[in-house]
Amino acid sequence: DSADNLVIGKGSAVGTTPVISVDSSENVAIGRTSSIAHPLDIQKADDAYIRISSGTTQENAGILFANQNTTKWTLEKEGSAHSLFLKDASSTAVTFAQGGYVGIGATSVSYPLTVQKDVDDYVAKIENDGNSTSSNGLWVDTRWNTATNTVFKVTTNSGNTDVIVAKGSGNVGIGNNASPVASASAYNTA
């Protein structure tokens, strides 16, 4: 066209219903011909999605984010499990599994939230940065409580040794005891 853009459209006359445009800066637009602001700019009058599909259910599909051809991040749907992974250059940062399960640092997710990392420091920090007397910390709630429900549990040794167990009855056990019998029970197994 007269603005030195390449325009591909449909219709019987030139310039009728532009579909794809390439401007003089080599930005590509689909569905628009002006105000092309990015290397790929897509606009549609209603909901707009980009579909990236592999050839079979066993293959991967995704988007690579790179600097000078060096991949820094990948957003990828892997194979037949259909989980979505956000990966940095060397490991999986976040896993989104079907059913609403999320893993941070974990590729296999069995709980609604799994945080897993091999570090020589704390694996997580929850901080309320509020500055008032109502700036509370962490609230753990199990909606349907019975006296035998485990409301809160801290373990070590990959889940094999209880450190703290709180039951729905209000009983809390500290030490190697999965069934605390009082409001606070401390056990020394040494």
Side-chain angles (χ1 to χ4, degrees), residues 3 18 29 31 33 40 46 72 74 76 80 89 102 118 125 132 147 150-151 161-162 169 173:
T33 57
L40 178 60
D46 51 9
K72 300 296 183 181
T74 303
E76 180 177 40
S80 60
V102 176
D118 183 7
K125 178 182 178 183
S132 72
T150 300
V151 178
T161 304
D162 294 336
S169 62

Side-chain angles (χ1 to χ4, degrees), residues 32-180:
R32 67 185 313 153
T33 57
S34 62
S35 301
I36 304 171
H38 303 283
L40 178 60
D41 199 334
I42 301 172
Q43 178 178 334
K44 191 175 178 200
D46 51 9
D47 295 342
Y49 296 93
I50 297 173
R51 181 178 186 170
I52 300 173
S53 181
S54 58
T56 71
T57 59
Q58 303 301 316
E59 303 299 327
N60 303 339
I63 300 172
L64 304 177
F65 300 92
N67 288 358
Q68 296 180 335
N69 294 323
T70 301
T71 300
K72 300 296 183 181
W73 287 95
T74 303
L75 182 61
E76 180 177 40
K77 190 281 303 175
E78 283 191 354
S80 60
H82 306 298
S83 293
L84 183 66
F85 297 94
L86 178 61
K87 300 177 178 183
D88 64 18
S90 61
S91 63
T92 298
V94 182
T95 300
F96 301 95
Q98 290 193 339
Y101 286 17
V102 176
I104 299 173
T107 56
S108 178
V109 183
S110 302
Y111 299 98
L113 176 62
T114 300
V115 179
Q116 181 179 353
K117 188 71 177 168
D118 183 7
V119 295
D120 292 329
D121 201 351
Y122 295 101
V123 71
K125 178 182 178 183
I126 298 172
E127 179 178 342
N128 180 345
D129 211 11
N131 57 3
S132 72
T133 57
S134 63
S135 299
N136 299 313
L138 176 65
W139 178 339
V140 177
D141 181 32
T142 57
R143 183 172 180 205
W144 298 106
N145 237 7
T146 66
T148 58
N149 280 26
T150 300
V151 178
F152 183 74
K153 185 173 186 176
V154 177
T155 65
T156 187
N157 195 23
S158 297
N160 293 317
T161 304
D162 294 336
V163 177
I164 300 173
V165 176
K167 292 293 190 176
S169 62
N171 292 348
V172 177
I174 301 172
N176 191 12
N177 185 2
S179 300

